[in-house]
Amino acid sequence: MDPRFINTIPSLRYDDDKCDDEYAFVKALCMSGGDGANSYSANSRLQKKVLSMAKPVLVRNTEEMMMNLDFPTYIKVAELGCSSGQNSFLAIFEIINTINVLCQHVNKNSPEIDCCLNDLPENDFNTTFKFVPFFNKELMITNKSSCFVYGAPGSFYSRLFSRNSLHLIHSSYALHWLSKVPEKLENNKGNLYITSSSPQSAYKAYLNQFQKDFIMFLRLRSEEIVSNGRMVLTFIGRNTLNDPLYRDCCHFWTLLSNSLRDLVFEGLVSESKLDAFNMPFYDPNVQELKEVIQKEGSFEINELESHGFDLGHYYEEDDFEAGRNEANGIRAVSEPMLIAHFGEEIIDTLFDKYAYHVTQHANCRNKTTVSLVVSLTKK
């Protein structure tokens, strides 16, 4: 990170003294529900791939948690930012399977396990809970273990669970979402996120909000998780260390900005509407992530890995199919917010534009976006 922009971690006091009415679309932050063609459930293959990529870290930390806690007879697991669909159960299944295999190996009885699925109240929990019978059936076939699944609606930037009640926390592709749009973005007009044309003040505003949110997340989880409990967290991050503004030309929010500007040019969206929309999102680099964790002080870093990220082309399809896949994936995670701000009428046209822009950057190989996986132990 450029030393000119290394910030002191903000105060632990977490108040929201500014009315969020001007950013009402943030209240619509949730993935597209249901199981239709444009739903998150039908367009989350990237997230499934990321869960598979992080599996070795999750397995190691689950095993070490069990051994360090001397094989407790009861385990409580939280999946934070579970969204909707069957992906919610992939990490939980790996955790339960790892615990049972380890217990069999050391001749211990498997514990009873509570699994709490958390997301914002607006999340489509119904689609997720439809998979519970299939999940339980698979568990009985493979593990013959007891697991109880619950919903825990609420923001993970607030307290969710009772003190010292959790043993393992998992979150994948959720913590890059901020609690609110940063303040002081007035000079970032025409961009819905940070780009190379953004002022340095935009970067500092986003970094400050990420620091404030993530330090609050760590502080709250430190109250809820037992000593020697574990967290495994996966973020969308970036691999740039020197230029905090640089995002590659095919960054997904850059392409969405370009697509919205096309609609402004065509008279379908007003320029003032575009200027008033900013994503509540931040993609930290490794240094920024480490800095917050170390200064908050409740957790030790066990592992911090960086992996490649390719939203459309990892299927090895042609450019058109890759463009459509990426457009569908971005639509699934942003459509409720976009509708809340711009209206529903533009959505199909917007993502047709998006798919086209992806094809125009098909040869982009200097990608700045990565997946960051960090595992932590509660001190």
Side-chain angles (χ1 to χ4, degrees), residues 156-159 216-224:
F156 47 54
Y157 297 122
S158 63
R159 274 290 299 273
M216 178 53 60
F217 174 88
L218 294 171
R219 180 188 180 190
L220 295 169
R221 302 295 82 80
S222 73
E223 296 177 12
E224 297 167 345

Side-chain angles (χ1 to χ4, degrees), residues 38 66 91 97 130 183 200 215 217 223 240 314 316 336 339-340:
N38 296 319
M66 287 295 294
N97 187 62
K130 288 177 183 178
E183 299 176 13
Q200 296 288 354
I215 201 170
F217 174 88
E223 296 177 12
T240 53
Y314 61 86
E316 297 183 1
I339 289 176

Side-chain angles (χ1 to χ4, degrees), residues 267-282:
L268 299 177
V269 170
S270 70
E271 190 171 1
S272 60
K273 270 283 190 183
L274 174 57
D275 291 343
F277 186 84
N278 294 279
M279 277 294 172
F281 172 96
Y282 188 68

Side-chain angles (χ1 to χ4, degrees), residues 20-90:
D20 284 333
D21 287 347
E22 63 181 297
Y23 299 129
F25 61 86
V26 177
K27 298 175 183 176
L29 174 54
C30 62
M31 308 299 103
S32 296
D35 54 8
N38 296 319
S39 67
Y40 177 85
S41 181
N43 293 284
S44 51
R45 286 185 288 175
L46 169 68
Q47 290 83 346
K48 184 176 181 180
K49 179 181 176 72
V50 169
L51 286 165
S52 177
M53 172 269 297
K55 176 181 171 180
V57 177
L58 183 61
V59 168
R60 281 195 298 272
N61 279 270
T62 302
E63 292 174 339
E64 291 169 5
M65 177 271 296
M66 287 295 294
M67 292 184 286
N68 291 341
L69 295 178
D70 196 24
F71 293 90
T73 58
Y74 167 77
I75 292 291
K76 187 172 182 178
V77 176
E79 175 73 21
L80 304 184
C82 67
S83 192
S84 61
Q86 59 186 336
N87 278 3
S88 306
F89 296 98
L90 296 177

Side-chain angles (χ1 to χ4, degrees), residues 102-366:
L102 179 63
C103 287
Q104 292 171 10
H105 182 71
V106 298
N107 198 27
K108 299 275 189 180
N109 290 326
S110 295
E112 288 195 326
I113 303 174
D114 278 347
C115 294
C116 302
L117 302 181
N118 156 262
D119 213 307
L120 293 170
E122 294 79 9
N123 181 58
D124 178 16
F125 284 99
N126 287 338
T127 295
T128 298
F129 289 143
K130 288 177 183 178
F131 290 97
V132 170
F134 303 99
F135 173 69
N136 287 333
K137 182 178 180 180
E138 185 69 18
L139 278 182
M140 291 302 297
I141 293 173
T142 58
N143 294 301
K144 296 182 172 55
S145 59
S146 298
C147 174
F148 306 93
V149 179
Y150 304 90
S155 170
F156 47 54
Y157 297 122
S158 63
R159 274 290 299 273
L160 294 167
F161 305 101
S162 57
R163 195 176 300 275
N164 295 321
S165 64
L166 297 175
H167 301 85
L168 180 61
I169 294 172
H170 178 261
S171 180
S172 183
Y173 272 28
L175 280 161
H176 42 247
W177 293 111
L178 304 176
S179 67
K180 58 184 286 188
V181 172
E183 299 176 13
K184 301 179 180 178
L185 293 177
E186 295 82 4
N187 296 323
N188 197 36
K189 293 181 178 180
N191 299 312
L192 56 81
Y193 187 54
I194 300 169
T195 70
S196 296
S197 64
S198 299
Q200 296 288 354
S201 60
Y203 159 67
K204 290 191 283 186
Y206 270 104
L207 176 61
N208 284 340
Q209 189 62 50
F210 170 75
Q211 290 176 330
K212 184 178 182 181
D213 282 346
F214 192 41
I215 201 170
M216 178 53 60
F217 174 88
L218 294 171
R219 180 188 180 190
L220 295 169
R221 302 295 82 80
S222 73
E223 296 177 12
E224 297 167 345
I225 197 167
V226 301
S227 180
N228 284 320
R230 296 290 177 113
M231 291 203 297
V232 177
L233 313 173
T234 305
F235 300 73
I236 293 178
R238 70 185 195 280
N239 58 16
T240 53
L241 299 177
N242 297 321
D243 185 352
L245 295 178
Y246 180 71
R247 303 296 187 280
D248 59 66
C249 62
C250 52
H251 189 278
F252 43 94
W253 295 144
T254 300
L255 297 184
L256 189 57
S257 289
N258 294 342
S259 303
L260 283 164
R261 281 198 289 269
D262 288 346
L263 300 191
V264 171
F265 179 77
E266 295 175 10
L268 299 177
V269 170
S270 70
E271 190 171 1
S272 60
K273 270 283 190 183
L274 174 57
D275 291 343
F277 186 84
N278 294 279
M279 277 294 172
F281 172 96
Y282 188 68
D283 48 354
N285 62 32
V286 168
Q287 290 181 356
E288 291 165 350
L289 204 56
K290 279 184 178 179
E291 182 185 352
V292 178
I293 295 167
Q294 292 170 348
K295 290 198 174 183
E296 192 281 329
S298 298
F299 295 88
E300 293 182 356
I301 299 174
N302 305 317
E303 301 167 84
L304 179 50
E305 300 180 353
S306 176
H307 297 265
F309 173 100
D310 195 336
L311 191 52
H313 286 81
Y314 61 86
Y315 303 118
E316 297 183 1
E317 297 164 336
D318 62 41
D319 291 345
F320 176 81
E321 287 299 321
R324 179 52 57 190
N325 278 328
E326 179 166 341
N328 289 343
I330 293 300
R331 179 172 181 165
V333 303
S334 63
E335 183 173 11
M337 283 191 294
L338 292 167
I339 289 176
H341 187 76
F342 296 103
E344 191 169 3
E345 297 79 11
I346 69 160
I347 299 300
D348 288 342
T349 303
L350 173 63
F351 284 100
D352 286 342
K353 302 282 188 186
Y354 188 102
Y356 170 77
H357 281 294
V358 173
T359 64
Q360 299 307 295
H361 294 275
N363 294 323
C364 175
R365 293 293 177 261
N366 187 27

